[in-house]
Amino acid sequence: MKAWFATLSPRDRLIVVGGGSLLIMVLLVGSWLSFVDDVERMREVVSEQHVVSQWMESAAQEVLILRKGDNQKHVANSGGSLLSLVDQTARRSGLGSAMTRVEPDGSDKVRIRLERVNFDKMMRWLEELQTKHEVSINSITVDQHQDNGLANVRLSLKGAG
């Protein structure tokens, strides 16, 4: 490359050096402008994400407020009876056939006996009762059944009221 450059006339060397310098400057300026555009675009994205984040936080608060109101509606729709709420949710969860006894225990408690119940389904049902309907477990006794995944359960539930 040096030998080729040395064979050029002084005017051609000046043109090659000037053209090369100009090309390097154009590439640097183009890279810089692209970088500046990317930074500006990222600032806009961050700003938009901040707005979305604020909206999601306010929506989460609203959901919590509505969920509390919805829980009260569920109890009201079921006649306000913990007994009927437990029965309806258990049947919806596929536990109806395992329920051998459901009886009231005062005005705000229910005693339940489940035999050969799928343990995982029962746990999901209890979670639904606690989170959506504010029903708490007063007492529970779980005996493993000889079949894997099944249990015999005695429990007492207490309503939110």
Side-chain angles (χ1 to χ4, degrees):
M1 183 82 161
K2 285 184 183 181
W4 171 79
F5 189 73
T7 61
L8 295 176
S9 68
R11 185 177 74 94
D12 289 342
R13 276 189 239 157
L14 184 62
I15 291 173
V16 169
V17 169
S21 298
L22 184 63
L23 179 63
I24 289 172
M25 286 178 54
V26 166
L27 289 174
L28 287 175
V29 168
S31 296
W32 177 254
L33 291 176
S34 175
F35 174 75
V36 169
D37 285 345
D38 288 346
V39 167
E40 186 59 34
R41 208 168 335 141
M42 287 298 129
R43 283 188 180 143
E44 289 174 11
V45 167
V46 167
S47 176
E48 290 170 2
Q49 292 299 319
H50 183 67
V51 169
V52 169
S53 173
Q54 287 177 332
W55 176 84
M56 289 177 79
E57 287 176 12
S58 68
Q61 293 297 327
E62 188 176 338
V63 165
L64 289 174
I65 291 167
L66 292 174
R67 182 179 282 171
K68 284 184 181 180
D70 196 36
N71 285 342
Q72 293 168 354
K73 288 178 189 172
H74 281 301
V75 172
N77 289 342
S78 65
S81 167
L82 178 61
L83 187 66
S84 62
L85 174 70
V86 166
D87 186 57
Q88 289 172 4
T89 56
R91 291 185 192 290
R92 264 199 325 262
S93 298
L95 303 176
S97 62
M99 292 179 72
T100 58
R101 179 182 296 163
V102 180
E103 59 187 27
D105 184 13
S107 62
D108 65 341
K109 291 182 187 170
V110 174
R111 285 189 303 225
I112 304 163
R113 177 143 177 91
L114 301 158
E115 293 185 8
R116 296 181 45 93
V117 65
N118 180 298
F119 185 78
D120 293 336
K121 280 185 181 181
M122 181 197 65
M123 293 305 291
R124 284 191 292 274
W125 171 62
L126 290 174
E127 178 187 20
E128 175 190 346
L129 284 173
Q130 287 181 321
T131 57
K132 292 183 179 176
H133 304 286
E134 298 178 1
V135 173
S136 60
I137 298 172
N138 195 39
S139 68
I140 185 168
T141 304
V142 179
D143 297 321
Q144 182 179 1
H145 192 273
Q146 63 191 17
D147 295 335
N148 279 342
L150 299 181
N152 294 326
V153 181
R154 289 181 308 277
L155 65 127
S156 173
L157 301 176
K158 182 174 178 15

